[in-house]
Amino acid sequence: MLFGPGPSDVAPSVLQAMARPVIGHLDPAFVAILDEIGDMLRLVFKTKNEVTFAVSGTGSAGMEMALVNILEPGDRVVVGVAGVFGERMAEVARRGGAQVDEVSVPWGRPLDLAEMRTAVKRARPKVVAFVHAETSTGVRQPVDEIARMARDAGALVVLDAVTSLAGIPVFVDGWGIDVCYAGTQKCLSVPPGLAPITFSPRAMDAIRTRRTPVPSWYLDVGLITRYWGAERVYHHTAPISMLYALHEGLRLALDEGLEDRWNRHERLGEELQRSIVDLGFTLLAAEGFRLPQLTSAAVPDGVDEKTARRRLLDEFGIEVGGGLGAFAGKAWRIGLMGESCRKEKLDRLLEAIAAITRA
Ligand SMILES: *Cc1c(COP(=O)(O)O)cnc(C)c1O
């Protein structure tokens, strides 16, 4: 059972979808599947954006696609950094030649709205970018306030929703997000390999009026939308089997209902956090900003995190994640994402953790 920071458990019907015969990427039957994926992604992202599709690549490919299309050399970008994935956004933007202002907070804390505002006032950036659900710390960012401040200052807003999409509320249009990307292997519970992404009309205008071509040919949204859009021009061979899987994963999420799915994560995440505190763990994300689908917690005194994690895997067939960055060597990251976020699975996880930390 997968209780790490992704991948999460995959539903049998998703695995079955992947085993269907491969057909051509321009076959009318396959093109109909692409159209349905676009429609379902718009429902899950809560957006009307026409340019909504899945990048061939994992969540990081979504990050790179978002930033290389929207930024040109010399453009200024303010990046909120609250953990590993915020740092990655800043690095991707720097490699694209942008001038990056990082606004950092200590690990476990949410971004500071006042500091973000000060940085935006000073830099007058083209783009403000940050992570919604910081998987390295378990912190949930207050997206609405930061996005509104950025838009009021005239910036485009790029949001990483890799760990949030289909786990906690994401409102791309409601929050005024210009580019939002996700991944398949977290709360969507589809194997890793695709990055759902959506671009607002404002973002597409900024891309169309670039002075320089997008430096990445593979991730050029203008070229890729000629395949995902009505023209159906070959760009690269679509990963057929992965798209079958995403189609089925989205169908399952919408069949359950997004609100019910968010509630399931909220409820079981709270139960996990309450229960491991009782077992002697210390939660590391600031109270009031804890993600239900990713819990970072220091292991009890006297427990060696690496040995205990190995025993969970060997004796119970359970995977949890180790700490990253500032939390390495002392903490676990426990994911309750998508198909892994089920009451009966949580009960087995808690029994196993209790058995191992007591012994
Ligand atoms: C997992 C993750 C990524 C990177 O996704 P990959 O699929 O590993 O490339 C980016 N951002 C966040 C917040 C993540 O949790």
Side-chain angles (χ1 to χ4, degrees):
M1 288 188 287
L2 299 176
F3 294 108
S8 55
D9 286 343
V10 178
S13 68
V14 172
L15 294 174
Q16 279 156 12
M18 295 183 83
R20 293 208 313 249
V22 171
I23 58 176
H25 60 101
L26 294 171
D27 186 311
F30 186 71
V31 162
I33 288 176
L34 290 183
D35 283 341
E36 287 179 13
I37 289 174
D39 289 342
M40 289 193 284
L41 283 178
R42 275 182 278 274
L43 294 173
V44 172
F45 273 123
K46 300 259 180 209
T47 183
K48 295 196 161 55
N49 290 341
E50 190 187 331
V51 182
T52 302
F53 59 99
V55 185
S56 307
T58 64
S60 305
M63 181 187 293
E64 189 127 359
M65 171 165 246
L67 294 168
V68 299
N69 280 279
I70 210 89
L71 290 168
E72 294 191 68
D75 282 348
R76 295 200 75 141
V77 51
V78 169
V79 182
V81 177
V84 164
F85 294 104
E87 282 170 1
R88 187 175 296 180
M89 285 182 114
E91 177 64 14
V92 170
R94 262 192 302 273
R95 290 187 182 207
Q99 276 186 272
V100 179
D101 292 285
E102 291 184 37
V103 180
S104 301
V105 283
W107 281 53
R109 298 286 319 160
L111 294 171
D112 183 305
L113 179 63
E115 280 179 29
M116 289 290 287
R117 183 181 286 119
T118 306
V120 165
K121 274 201 176 130
R122 192 178 51 231
R124 309 209 52 75
K126 176 179 180 184
V127 170
V128 172
F130 60 105
V131 176
H132 183 198
E134 191 33 273
T135 320
S136 57
T137 65
V139 166
R140 181 202 304 234
Q141 302 301 336
V143 176
D144 200 11
E145 295 167 354
I146 297 173
R148 192 171 326 124
M149 176 278 293
R151 284 187 69 109
D152 287 348
L156 293 161
V157 183
V158 174
L159 183 69
D160 176 314
V162 176
T163 286
S164 45
L165 195 72
I168 57 174
V170 172
F171 300 106
V172 167
D173 289 357
W175 289 336
I177 307 301
D178 292 293
V179 190
C180 186
Y181 60 87
T184 44
Q185 77 274 26
K186 313 240 169 147
C187 293
L188 276 169
S189 276
V190 169
L194 291 172
I197 195 164
T198 185
F199 289 84
S200 73
R202 240 166 52 117
M204 290 309 292
D205 282 345
I207 293 165
R208 267 184 224 106
T209 54
R210 288 175 64 102
R211 303 177 303 276
T212 57
V214 174
S216 167
W217 178 88
Y218 194 72
L219 297 176
D220 183 326
V221 69
L223 298 178
I224 288 171
T225 48
R226 295 184 62 208
Y227 172 62
W228 278 82
E231 284 180 86
R232 302 296 175 194
V233 176
Y234 164 73
H235 177 260
H236 65 271
T237 310
I240 308 289
S241 310
M242 271 308 300
L243 287 158
Y244 290 157
L246 176 59
H247 184 276
E248 175 60 13
L250 289 166
R251 194 192 65 74
L252 288 176
L254 292 167
D255 215 38
E256 176 177 8
L258 281 180
E259 282 75 12
D260 285 353
R261 197 176 175 93
W262 298 338
N263 289 337
R264 171 160 64 86
H265 284 85
E266 201 66 52
R267 192 161 33 82
L268 295 179
E270 268 170 29
E271 182 178 339
L272 167 70
Q273 288 167 7
R274 231 183 311 115
S275 305
I276 59 169
V277 167
D278 289 344
L279 291 171
F281 285 74
T282 310
L283 301 178
L284 294 174
E287 189 160 9
F289 298 93
R290 289 178 186 147
L291 292 167
Q293 73 273 45
L294 194 287
T295 297
S296 60
V299 297
D301 283 341
V303 172
D304 178 63
E305 81 78 16
K306 213 168 167 187
T307 311
R309 200 147 45 85
R310 186 58 197 258
R311 285 190 57 199
L312 268 186
L313 188 59
D314 290 346
E315 296 169 30
F316 296 88
I318 284 175
E319 178 183 272
V320 299
L324 272 188
F327 294 162
K330 44 189 177 194
W332 282 358
R333 289 179 303 145
I334 306 175
L336 280 186
M337 302 179 181
E339 285 302 312
S340 299
C341 181
R342 301 277 177 200
K343 174 66 176 154
E344 53 296 354
K345 292 186 179 181
L346 173 59
D347 288 346
R348 284 174 61 187
L349 170 69
L350 290 170
E351 272 168 38
I353 294 178
I356 274 170
T357 51
R358 253 193 253 112

